[in-house]
Amino acid sequence: MGIEEYLAEIKNQIRDKTAREFASNELKAHIEDRAEGLQKKGMDHDSAVLQAVKEMGDPVSVGVDLDRIHRPRLEWKFLLYVIYISILSVGVMYPMYFAMNSGNITNGDYFRPFLFGKIFTVLLGLVVMVIVYRLDYTILAGRSCKIAAVFLILMTVSFYFFGWQINGVTWFLCIRGLTFSSRALFLMYLPMFAGILYDYRNKGVDALFKIFLWMIAPVVSARIYGDITLPFAIFMLFSESILFMIALNKNWYRVNNLKVLTGMGIGFAASLALFILRIMNSSDYQKMRLKIWLLHYGLTFGSVDTTDVEYMNYINRCLDNIFLRSRFIGKSESAIEVAQNMSESLADYILATIAATCGKLAVAVIIISLIALAVYVFSISIKQKNILGSIVGCSCGIVIAVQVVSNIMIVFGFLPLAATTLPFFSLGVNDIMAGYILLGLVMSIYRYQDIRVEKEPVTTLLA
């Protein structure tokens, strides 16, 4: 039997098309290597090929074994954990709605659209996650720059001409009744940036400047259409920097890592200082938020309007009182009374509402569950045999981890008050859908882990 007939028979035993081609190419390489070895021992080419094919064994048996080994896989434990998170996120909505809707109907009505809307959004999110799971993430390989460029151009043009401005900031885009959040959409840029880091491997120092441009590209885009704020800039640059350091640690760029990290640290600190100074010298709302937060630590820059101080301190005091009055388990009427007076703000600070209506134990369970989810994503990602899958999976974990940590720190007063999202629990439909898309991407990476195998490149560090 010739090599092509042998491989054809093996392909007939493998059910998945992608796995079929991967396994066939892998086996063909083994046969050719063996045939080459036999030729070096004096055998002619045709005889060597026939002998190599014969040594591989029965094609049906080999095909069945390869079908078992090289096939798409579903990480059932991860899926079950995602379902657990989904049930938990819906479960806390019921006591939240009924508690917030008692005593103060006006403020309680704020949560009415989210009661059944939350269930629909979570179910839709799970469907979208399954769809993304079925897609092949390796489309990013070699195309990440083009995909990211198209994404940024569409974001910039769409929000510049059709975006909605709220308090001078363009946050939303409405198309045929569908509303899209720029912040949620920009979460999709992180996996693209991970693909960019992958595509620039082994291209030396010249690649670093291009990577830097791609790092600031979303911030520049937001600046053009009017959605540039300090929290957004920090979130994007910080997340991208972590991804870049992961790639740097893998020695992808053949540079001196210590020098690059030192330069990054200086550049990031300088950029942050300039951005803060710019805000301090402006008259917008973000400046007041930062000034009032620094005021809690005894630091004052310029004058602070007493009205703004009272308002911002009011929110902080309400959050403190909610957690102080909340029970360990179950609702607290006194905490709910405080929460009802700031229901619109609690859309961002959802942990406070959960504490008032479900208890501090529920808050602790949610925090631990989300941190465990981020760790789970990282665990899946770092074990991947495909380095593109590994870095893209890490980008998804970074998004979840940074969102969770920043939301917790804002709610508990360790960071200035700002628009924030708690993944899968905040009330924003766009943010929930973005989270499920990222989880679907992680599942896609796991699905193809035995098909898209790739070794780490051999690199040489430069002094």
Side-chain angles (χ1 to χ4, degrees):
M1 182 181 292
I3 186 171
E4 295 303 329
E5 293 86 352
Y6 185 82
L7 294 176
E9 186 65 28
I10 285 178
K11 287 182 180 181
N12 291 334
Q13 315 307 317
I14 302 175
R15 288 164 289 184
D16 185 81
K17 182 178 179 180
T18 305
R20 186 185 304 148
E21 295 302 321
F22 174 81
S24 175
N25 293 335
E26 185 181 58
L27 189 59
K28 184 178 181 180
H30 285 304
I31 293 174
E32 290 176 345
D33 287 343
R34 177 55 180 161
E36 183 179 350
L38 292 173
Q39 283 182 269
K40 291 180 179 179
K41 294 181 178 180
M43 191 176 292
D44 64 87
H45 177 268
D46 292 339
S47 299
V49 171
L50 290 174
Q51 179 63 25
V53 169
K54 184 178 180 180
E55 290 179 1
M56 288 293 127
D58 177 64
V60 175
S61 299
V62 173
V64 171
D65 289 338
L66 289 175
D67 177 61
R68 177 178 53 82
I69 297 171
H70 296 292
R71 71 172 185 267
R73 298 180 182 274
L74 175 60
E75 222 290 37
W76 288 103
K77 290 186 292 184
F78 184 74
L79 176 60
L80 291 175
Y81 194 83
V82 172
I83 293 174
Y84 155 72
I85 292 288
S86 302
I87 294 174
L88 186 61
S89 68
V90 172
V92 296
M93 283 298 296
Y94 282 92
M96 185 189 307
Y97 167 75
F98 289 113
M100 294 297 291
N101 201 43
S102 63
N104 188 331
I105 301 299
T106 302
N107 284 331
D109 283 348
Y110 178 77
F111 288 91
R112 178 170 277 112
F114 301 103
L115 181 57
F116 296 105
K118 178 76 172 183
I119 300 175
F120 174 78
T121 302
V122 168
L123 291 176
L124 181 60
L126 290 170
V127 172
V128 171
M129 181 184 72
V130 172
I131 293 174
V132 175
Y133 155 73
R134 299 286 299 179
L135 301 177
D136 189 353
Y137 72 93
T138 57
I139 190 177
L140 290 171
R143 305 182 187 93
S144 296
C145 291
K146 294 179 181 178
I147 294 174
V150 171
F151 173 82
L152 290 173
I153 291 172
L154 288 176
M155 284 286 294
T156 305
V157 173
S158 300
F159 279 87
Y160 184 83
F161 289 103
F162 307 108
W164 290 356
Q165 273 204 356
I166 300 177
N167 295 327
V169 180
T170 305
W171 281 357
F172 299 101
L173 176 69
C174 186
I175 301 176
R176 295 186 177 274
L178 297 176
T179 303
F180 299 92
S181 163
S182 62
R183 304 297 175 85
L185 289 174
F186 263 121
L187 296 181
M188 301 299 101
Y189 182 79
L190 271 300
M192 300 177 201
F193 180 71
I196 291 171
L197 293 175
Y198 170 86
D199 288 343
Y200 280 126
R201 293 169 305 146
N202 292 326
K203 295 187 178 179
V205 179
D206 293 341
L208 299 183
F209 178 71
K210 297 176 183 177
I211 290 172
F212 172 75
L213 294 179
W214 284 111
M215 288 180 70
I216 65 173
V219 178
V220 173
S221 171
R223 178 66 181 88
I224 292 173
Y225 68 77
D227 184 23
I228 184 65
T229 59
L230 182 60
F232 169 76
I234 291 177
F235 176 86
M236 292 302 297
L237 293 175
F238 182 71
S239 301
E240 291 166 338
S241 296
I242 295 176
L243 268 176
F244 176 69
M245 285 188 286
I246 292 174
L248 201 64
N249 186 60
K250 295 176 179 290
N251 298 324
W252 281 2
Y253 308 110
R254 296 178 295 149
V255 295
N256 187 297
N257 293 354
L258 182 59
K259 291 181 179 179
V260 173
L261 289 174
T262 302
M264 277 184 62
I266 295 173
F268 187 81
S271 300
L272 182 61
L274 289 174
F275 206 101
I276 292 175
L277 287 175
R278 177 180 175 276
I279 290 179
M280 287 301 182
N281 293 324
S282 66
S283 57
D284 59 18
Y285 189 60
Q286 298 296 328
K287 176 192 69 174
M288 196 56 59
R289 284 182 172 180
L290 187 58
K291 282 186 175 182
I292 293 170
W293 179 69
L294 292 174
L295 192 62
H296 290 299
Y297 294 91
L299 302 174
T300 305
F301 294 89
S303 60
V304 180
D305 187 271
T306 55
T307 303
D308 289 321
V309 170
E310 183 61 29
Y311 172 69
M312 298 299 290
N313 280 336
Y314 169 75
I315 295 179
N316 281 314
R317 286 200 305 270
C318 283
L319 291 173
D320 292 340
N321 283 332
I322 289 172
F323 285 105
L324 184 63
R325 300 183 183 189
S326 296
R327 300 175 60 185
F328 183 70
I329 299 177
K331 68 178 181 179
S332 167
E333 296 295 343
S334 60
I336 291 172
E337 183 179 354
V338 177
Q340 284 177 329
N341 295 324
M342 54 175 298
S343 57
E344 294 187 7
S345 298
L346 289 174
D348 287 326
Y349 318 126
I350 196 74
L351 280 177
T353 315
I354 295 172
T357 57
C358 303
K360 297 176 183 177
L361 179 61
V363 173
V365 169
I366 290 171
I367 291 175
I368 294 172
S369 298
L370 288 176
I371 292 175
L373 176 64
V375 172
Y376 204 158
V377 171
F378 280 117
S379 176
I380 290 175
S381 302
I382 61 178
K383 294 177 181 177
Q384 292 307 303
K385 302 173 185 177
N386 184 285
I387 56 178
L388 172 62
S390 180
I391 193 71
V392 171
C394 285
S395 72
C396 300
I398 288 170
V399 171
I400 295 172
V402 173
Q403 282 189 314
V404 171
V405 172
S406 60
N407 183 273
I408 294 171
M409 294 184 71
I410 289 172
V411 169
F412 287 98
F414 297 107
L415 288 176
L417 293 177
T420 180
T421 297
L422 187 68
F424 309 104
F425 287 87
S426 289
L427 303 179
V429 174
N430 284 237
D431 295 307
I432 295 173
M433 296 303 297
Y436 281 107
I437 290 174
L438 294 174
L439 294 183
L441 190 54
V442 174
M443 293 178 66
S444 174
I445 293 168
Y446 187 92
R447 169 182 169 85
Y448 291 104
Q449 67 174 346
D450 293 323
I451 301 174
R452 304 301 194 189
V453 180
E454 180 186 12
K455 295 180 179 180
E456 286 278 6
V458 178
T459 57
T460 303
L461 287 176
L462 300 180

